Each structure stands twice: as C-alpha cells, then as structure tokens.
Amino acid sequence: MDPFRLIIDGKKVPTKQCFEVINPGTEKVAGLAPLATKDQLEDAVRAARVAQKSWEKQTERKRQTACRRIAERIEAHAEELAQLLTAEQGKPLGGLGSRWEIGGAIAWTQYTASLSMPPKVLQDNNEGRVELFRKPIGVVGSILPWNFPVMIAIWHIVPAVLAGNAVVCKPSPYTPLTTLRLVELMNEVLPRGVVNCVTGDDDLGPMMTSHPDIGKIVFTGSCATGKKIYASAADTMKRMTLELGGNDAGIVLPDVDPKQIAEGLFWGAFINGGQTCAALKRLYVHDDVYEDVCEELVKFARKMPMGIGTDEAAMLGPVQNLRQYEIVSDLVADARGKGRVLLGGDAPVRNGKKTGYFFPLTIIADLDNGDRLVDEEQFGPALPIIRYRDIDEVIEKANDNPNGLGGSVWSRDITAARQVASRMECGSVWINKHGAIQPNAPFGGVKQSGVGVEFGQEGLEEYTDIQVVFS
C-alpha cells in the first residue's frame, strides 16, 4: 500500500513517517497518510505566502474561472472521490452519503464562483469621494473535521481562493485521504502554492493557529477545540471563522400531522448518522401529539438499513471513530436509566472483535433538560425526545444551552412557526425541516457555537479585510 503525499507548492511531497487511516466500517486500514513535520508546515506556509502575492493580482474574473475549473475537476473525479471518502469516513456511497457529499461540493463550488466583491462607493459629492475595497487577508489556515471532509474543505478553501488568499489546509487525522486527493486536483488548475495540504496528528493545529504568517484561521469542529484555537490565535490577532458544535433543538407544535413530518424529523436528526453540527439533537414535542410523533418516527426509523458504506443498500454507516463511538455509548447508557427506550439503545458487545463502529439507531423518550443526552451534544445516532405542554416553557428549555447553531419549528401554521422561530437563540432556524443549509444563505452560530459566518456574500467577505479610501 503506497502512502499518500503532502501537497506543498504544487508538488506531492513524501514524508519520513506515515500513519494508518482506519475504515470505521471494517476497522481495516483504508490508506496510509503522510505525517508532516514542523519544517514541512513551514514550507507550506512559505509557499502560500509567495503564491498569494501574485494570486491576489489576478483579476476577480480569472479567479472565478479558476474556481469553476475546480468544480469541473471534482466532477470529473466524482466517483473516485466518493469511493475514497466512503473508505475512510464510513458513510454510505448512496443516499445522503459520499456521492451526495461530492455532488454538494461541486454545487457549492459553482455557486461560490459566481460571487463578486466590487468596490462600494460610500460617498461621491462636493465634499469628496469615499470608496470601500475588500482586500485579501493573505494566508488562510483551514482546519477540517472528520464528518464531511470534502464538503467542508470546499466551504473553507474556495471562498478563500476566490477572495485572493492562499490556503494551508489540515484535514482531520481520521479522514485525511480524500482531502489530499481533492487538493491535488485543485492544483491541476491553480498556480502552485495557492492551496497546500499538510496532514498529521493534532500537534499541527496549534502550530497553525499561532503561526505569525497565517492571517486567518477557519475551523469547523467541537466547541472545546474552538476555544483553544481562539486563545492560541490571540497573540497574532488572527481573523477567525469558527463553526463549532451545536445541540440543535426542534420544537413540534400541536397542530402537526405526525406521519407527515416523520421523514423530515428522521433525516434532520440522523443525516450522516447524526454526525452533523447542525443536526436535530433535542426534540421537544407537544403533549397532544407526543405519543403519535414518537410512534411515527420510530416506524420510519425501523426502515433505515445500516451497513458498510460500499453496500449500495445501506442508508446509514458507522460512527466514524472509536472515540466518538464511546462518547455516544456513554450518553445512551446514561439515558437508558432515565427515559423510555423506543428504539435501539444497546451498544453491541465488541469483546475485542473488529466489527466496525456501528451503533444502532436509538430513540429515547421521556427525557428532559438536565439529562446528559439532552444537555450534551451526542454527535451520533441517538435522539432524545422531551414532552412539553406550554410554549413559553419549551422555548426557554430550547434556549437553555450554551450552544446556538440551529433550530427548527414544526407546524402547519407557518405564521405561528415563524413567531416561535424568532424567539429561538440560534443562528439558523428551519420550519418543517432541519439542517437544510444553502450556499446562498449565511450560516453560523451564536453563543458558544462559533464566530463569524460561512456561505453566500457574507461568508465570502469573511476572507477579506476592509480598506476605505478617501479622495
């Protein structure tokens, strides 16, 4: 098995050491990833600095064209990327799995390439002319998670490149392979050094966040890691975009048709096996429809096949890594003694056998705020359901969390749903769906769920500094 290589200054760079990447569905080695040294990170930052000086001088039109060509390269290698993604991440090839993620990456790249940042004239009169310009920050450091390694790489890299920056990207050590191949494809259409990729253990992250020549850090991941990044970047006053954990609440109003909303609730909670920042992680259901919603949701969930990602029939895959599997197991074990298990709830006995990190779809009713599965982000295939009777009380409970990424309201009465949505403390609220992000709408969290936004015009502008010229 030949090891993958770093991508630095447009070249594939070998390393003295490599590390195994494990397929979570089989627990077999999916590939060998290069273990970058501090010197190789320095080489990547240096290459990015040099490349950025000439890249920002290119016209915006040329940078837009380059981004569209990136989308074309991804599309030409879509099945290759999907197969590699399934091998290291575990998600199914079909359904809302790897092929869907690659398709989303193509669409996001195409949309982002259409955006523009022309100068704005703030004043033009006999007192003078005032113009606002958006200028690239310089070198952007991208630190990626393991749940959507291709899609989120696109979210970080493409707007940075379009804005005239260069990028040094560090994938999660759990899922580095597809990102390395993605960046290799990008380098087929970009000048050398504009996008670089280094992989290794978690020591690389702090080196990036404290590096004086990296002007901005964009990170998607846990709140705990985000806080460390925030502190580490303070000495160099880096620009920051942090999309951190969510513990999204969904509120079901009493006028719903339980059977009609069951599918939307299911995929809102269990897309990617629940390993999604903006997944539905706490479901509050009105007493009038509580039992019916529970019944219909369980009925739909029972139909969903879980299996190894290369099985075309599988709709859900394993938890991506053993550490996260143990977190989910612990939270579910705690909830079993407090609530009513409607589905799943029993972690398979492993006994040292390599059977994959499969955790059964789990739905536990009759929990409440104060229970760990409700209060803590599970990031896995387990959903707590909480009964409520009073709308003011449930809004207070939904907001009673340090996170504030997304939320949803489910109702036939859209006006009533919007009124509830306006009182929820989160960056995005969906009505009769959950987690349906779009490339044209800014996305970000409030409270401890992050800093800044991604996507759309607002997300693109996060990769720039403002310069105002008075004449």
Side-chain angles (χ1 to χ4, degrees):
M1 185 179 288
D2 294 330
F4 282 65
R5 296 186 176 188
L6 309 175
I7 307 296
I8 299 175
D9 201 22
K11 299 185 286 290
K12 297 168 73 173
V13 178
T15 57
K16 292 181 179 179
Q17 293 180 284
C18 59
F19 60 95
E20 294 181 343
V21 178
I22 303 301
N23 181 329
T26 64
E27 299 185 59
K28 295 179 180 179
V29 176
L32 300 176
L35 187 66
T37 64
K38 181 179 180 181
D39 286 344
Q40 287 170 320
L41 173 62
E42 292 292 343
D43 290 343
V45 175
R46 191 179 305 113
R49 283 189 68 197
V50 171
Q52 193 274 328
K53 297 300 181 185
S54 56
W55 181 243
E56 73 170 321
K57 294 176 184 176
Q58 299 294 318
T59 64
E60 184 178 68
R61 184 177 295 274
K62 286 185 177 180
R63 295 199 297 268
Q64 289 172 324
T65 298
C67 290
R68 282 192 288 270
R69 292 183 65 199
I70 289 172
E72 292 170 359
R73 297 310 295 149
I74 298 171
E75 190 166 21
H77 293 266
E79 184 62 18
E80 173 199 349
L81 291 168
Q83 293 282 345
L84 185 56
L85 177 58
T86 286
E88 66 173 346
Q89 207 282 337
K91 65 182 66 182
L93 283 168
L96 299 178
S98 292
R99 294 187 183 115
W100 176 81
E101 180 173 343
I102 302 303
I106 295 166
W108 236 273
T109 302
Q110 291 169 334
Y111 177 80
T112 303
S114 72
L115 298 175
S116 178
M117 293 185 291
K120 291 183 180 179
V121 178
L122 305 181
Q123 176 183 308
D124 189 12
N125 55 26
N126 57 5
E127 296 179 356
R129 183 178 175 89
V130 182
E131 296 171 282
L132 183 151
F133 295 87
R134 292 260 172 199
K135 303 183 69 175
I137 293 168
V139 177
V140 172
S142 160
I143 302 176
L144 297 167
W146 45 257
N147 58 335
F148 288 98
V150 174
M151 184 89 86
I152 296 176
I154 291 298
W155 295 349
H156 289 192
I157 295 171
V158 174
V161 167
L162 178 59
N165 301 286
V167 178
V168 176
C169 170
K170 188 198 89 67
S172 164
Y174 290 118
T175 53
L177 305 180
T178 319
T179 309
L180 283 166
R181 180 63 178 134
L182 174 69
V183 172
E184 184 181 359
L185 293 171
M186 289 180 175
N187 273 267
E188 294 179 2
V189 300
L190 293 172
R192 71 181 199 183
V194 172
V195 179
N196 309 271
C197 187
V198 293
T199 60
D201 55 30
D202 290 334
D203 291 341
L204 283 178
M207 294 180 200
M208 293 174 64
T209 58
S210 61
H211 200 293
D213 292 330
I214 294 179
K216 175 182 173 72
I217 290 289
V218 54
F219 168 74
T220 302
S222 71
C223 294
T225 302
K227 290 175 183 178
K228 292 177 183 176
I229 290 172
Y230 207 54
S232 174
D235 284 345
T236 49
M237 294 293 287
K238 286 181 176 30
R239 306 297 183 263
M240 307 285 287
T241 301
L242 305 176
E243 194 267 275
L244 307 180
N247 196 1
D248 291 11
I251 299 176
V252 177
L253 300 186
D255 66 339
V256 299
D257 177 342
K259 186 173 184 177
Q260 187 176 31
I261 68 170
E263 181 175 0
L265 288 174
F266 177 84
W267 287 116
F270 293 105
I271 184 173
N272 206 39
Q275 298 164 107
T276 306
C277 291
L280 171 55
K281 300 192 174 85
R282 299 176 286 151
L283 182 60
Y284 296 87
V285 181
H286 193 275
D287 183 59
D288 289 354
V289 290
Y290 184 84
E291 295 298 342
D292 289 341
V293 168
C294 289
E295 180 183 348
E296 293 296 338
L297 181 55
V298 170
K299 188 184 302 183
F300 186 88
R302 289 190 191 279
K303 303 175 185 177
M304 289 297 115
M306 179 182 290
I308 294 173
T310 51
D311 180 354
E312 294 285 356
M315 297 298 288
L316 296 165
V319 177
Q320 200 285 319
N321 57 78
L322 180 59
R323 180 183 177 189
Q324 189 60 37
Y325 178 93
E326 290 173 344
I327 290 171
V328 175
S329 298
D330 181 51
L331 289 172
V332 169
D334 180 77
R336 285 180 60 196
K338 299 174 180 178
R340 175 166 47 111
V341 178
L342 303 179
L343 184 67
D346 292 311
V349 178
R350 292 174 55 80
N351 289 332
K353 296 179 181 179
K354 293 187 176 182
T355 55
Y357 307 135
F358 291 98
F359 195 94
L361 287 174
T362 296
I363 299 174
I364 302 182
D366 302 347
L367 294 172
D368 204 348
N369 286 38
D371 295 326
R372 289 181 60 210
L373 187 59
V374 177
D375 291 355
E376 301 176 30
E377 183 184 23
Q378 64 274 54
F379 216 73
L383 178 68
I385 304 181
I386 304 100
R387 188 191 303 263
Y388 79 90
R389 294 176 178 81
D390 178 75
I391 190 64
D392 293 327
E393 179 187 5
V394 75
I395 292 172
E396 184 177 344
K397 285 186 174 183
N399 291 336
D400 185 21
N401 197 274
N403 295 327
L405 190 58
S408 58
V409 185
W410 303 75
S411 175
R412 297 184 189 184
D413 186 339
I414 301 302
T415 299
R418 285 175 174 162
Q419 290 174 348
V420 174
S422 70
R423 299 172 62 185
M424 296 182 75
E425 296 172 358
C426 48
S428 299
V429 187
W430 294 274
I431 294 174
N432 294 326
K433 54 189 171 184
H434 195 107
I437 53 176
Q438 301 176 190
N440 61 338
F443 174 70
V446 301
K447 298 193 283 190
Q448 294 185 28
S449 282
V451 175
V453 297
E454 298 179 283
F455 314 157
Q457 191 70 27
E458 294 83 355
L460 176 62
E461 291 174 356
E462 294 249 343
Y463 290 89
T464 66
D465 285 327
I466 289 175
Q467 183 181 67
V468 179
V469 176
F470 300 82
S471 60

